[in-house]
Amino acid sequence: MSQNNRLSKRELEQMRASSRLAARTLEMVSEHIQPGITTNAIDRMVDTFIRDYGAYPSPLNYRGFPKSVCTSINEVVCHGIPEDRVLKDGDIINVDVTCTLPAKNGFFGDTSVTFYVGEPSPDAIYVTEVARQALEVGIAAVRPGARVGDIGYAIQTFVRSKGCSVVREFTGHGIGKEFHTEPSIPHYGIPGTGPLIKRGMTFTIEPMVNLGSWETLVLDDDWTAVTKDGSLSAQFEHTLLATRSGVEVLTRRDSLLKHSEDKPYARLGRRSVPAAHAPQKDGANAAGG
Ligand code: MF3
Ligand code: CO
Ligand code: CO
């Protein structure tokens, strides 16, 4: 589906409802994040929660994806498949929720966050907080007259300034009556290039940030994407509506998310950059991405 036809008022309300449900699902999951829980348990609670609202967990059977949510731990960049693996103290895990409301012929809402399991390492804090801020920087670039390339440029510039890299193989996307539509929204780019962001467009921004190089590999299960160098990776995603004045974050939450936004370091500023990850002119951290 192209994004040329603007949503009607009623359709827009439906997009708001599906996005709100996806956001509520993450709030529900946040209550359960702790060492000892399995990713399969997260999958089951997400599946049940979403279906209770008459919605469908969009990942299930999407192009053969076998579960109802994506769970991506540590060096997994995205599309991790829930399994019997147990979360350990110090892990970071991205939970990526998408729902279709109503279940048949509905609208999609898509949002993800990275959670801390127990006590995180300085590296885990660093990559997670850079990714959290990268999404904010991307959202701030959605202004009237902005182009898709402006979003990617803003994100990439910020992430590089922090000595991390931006994944290139996976992008944000238009969203609406379908899961993934045009335009694709790369998290890198050239200012002033790409499609214009028009009022009424609904799309995601979902930067994946690596501590090391930007390159990824897909495992033999054909889904799980990992960093090629094994370095940690973190991701945050919102579904957005471009408005007359800027942007409405359709998957916004009412309160600080537990095991993530509620942490004291979730507001990391410039001065808290660990020396080991300070911006570099060259070397692995500054290459690519
Ligand atoms: N939620 C992912 C995104 O942000 C897509 C997951 S596709 C799946 O676009 F099949 F893995 F669920
Ligand atoms: Co998405
Ligand atoms: Co998603």
Side-chain angles (χ1 to χ4, degrees):
M1 182 177 100
S2 85
Q3 290 266 312
N4 292 333
N5 300 323
R6 293 244 310 271
L7 297 178
S8 68
K9 232 177 168 178
R10 184 190 139 81
E11 290 173 323
L12 191 49
E13 274 315 309
Q14 290 184 275
M15 260 314 276
R16 288 198 174 96
S18 59
S19 298
R20 199 177 310 124
L21 177 58
R24 294 295 88 87
T25 306
L26 278 183
E27 290 180 329
M28 180 279 294
V29 167
S30 75
E31 305 284 339
H32 299 272
I33 296 293
Q34 56 172 317
I37 185 183
T38 66
T39 47
N40 266 339
I42 296 172
D43 178 71
R44 287 302 85 203
M45 64 181 80
V46 166
D47 186 278
T48 303
F49 188 86
I50 287 175
R51 290 182 196 271
D52 276 353
Y53 285 88
Y56 180 79
S58 322
L60 186 60
N61 299 325
Y62 176 76
R63 300 188 179 186
F65 191 80
K67 295 291 172 97
S68 300
V69 65
C70 297
T71 53
S72 302
I73 300 173
N74 297 339
E75 78 287 354
V76 179
V77 169
C78 64
H79 302 164
I81 303 174
E83 54 179 342
D84 281 329
R85 174 169 174 176
V86 166
L87 298 188
K88 299 190 322 298
D89 186 44
D91 283 344
I92 52 174
I93 178 173
N94 173 276
V95 178
D96 190 344
V97 169
T98 313
C99 61
T100 318
L101 179 70
K104 288 230 159 56
N105 247 310
F107 286 79
F108 288 77
D110 189 6
T111 183
S112 84
V113 299
T114 298
F115 292 106
Y116 296 112
V117 181
E119 283 310 311
S121 68
D123 276 356
I125 293 173
Y126 193 77
V127 72
T128 302
E129 296 311 322
V130 172
R132 189 195 309 282
Q133 292 176 52
L135 173 57
E136 297 304 319
V137 164
I139 293 171
V142 185
R143 295 172 312 263
R147 291 184 179 270
V148 164
D150 297 321
I151 300 173
Y153 177 74
I155 291 171
Q156 184 181 33
T157 305
F158 169 75
V159 170
R160 278 180 167 174
S161 81
K162 296 294 184 182
C164 295
S165 65
V166 175
V167 169
R168 305 177 76 98
E169 291 93 336
F170 304 96
T171 66
H173 49 92
I175 184 168
K177 283 281 275 189
E178 288 174 49
F179 200 158
H180 297 107
T181 74
E182 293 298 314
S184 87
I185 315 276
H187 305 108
Y188 58 90
I190 299 168
T193 68
L196 261 177
I197 309 286
K198 295 207 186 90
R199 183 157 67 99
M201 268 178 62
T202 46
F203 60 99
T204 74
I205 303 180
E206 46 183 300
M208 286 139 276
V209 172
N210 298 348
L211 207 47
S213 112
W214 58 273
E215 294 156 287
T216 63
L217 294 173
V218 175
L219 301 186
D220 282 343
D221 61 21
D222 285 340
W223 279 106
T224 312
V226 299
T227 56
K228 197 169 169 186
D229 62 7
S231 69
L232 290 174
S233 185
Q235 178 181 22
F236 290 81
E237 173 178 27
H238 272 310
T239 296
L240 309 163
L241 165 71
T243 64
R244 191 192 298 277
S245 55
V247 70
E248 180 179 329
V249 181
L250 299 178
T251 45
R252 67 187 176 275
R253 296 171 289 272
D254 295 333
S255 54
L256 292 185
L257 207 57
K258 282 188 187 172
H259 306 294
S260 193
E261 292 171 336
D262 63 334
K263 297 289 188 185
Y265 35 75
R267 292 280 177 270
L268 256 196
R270 226 164 231 301
R271 280 170 304 163
S272 21
V273 177
H277 302 302
Q280 303 170 356
K281 279 253 159 55
D282 42 26
N285 277 352

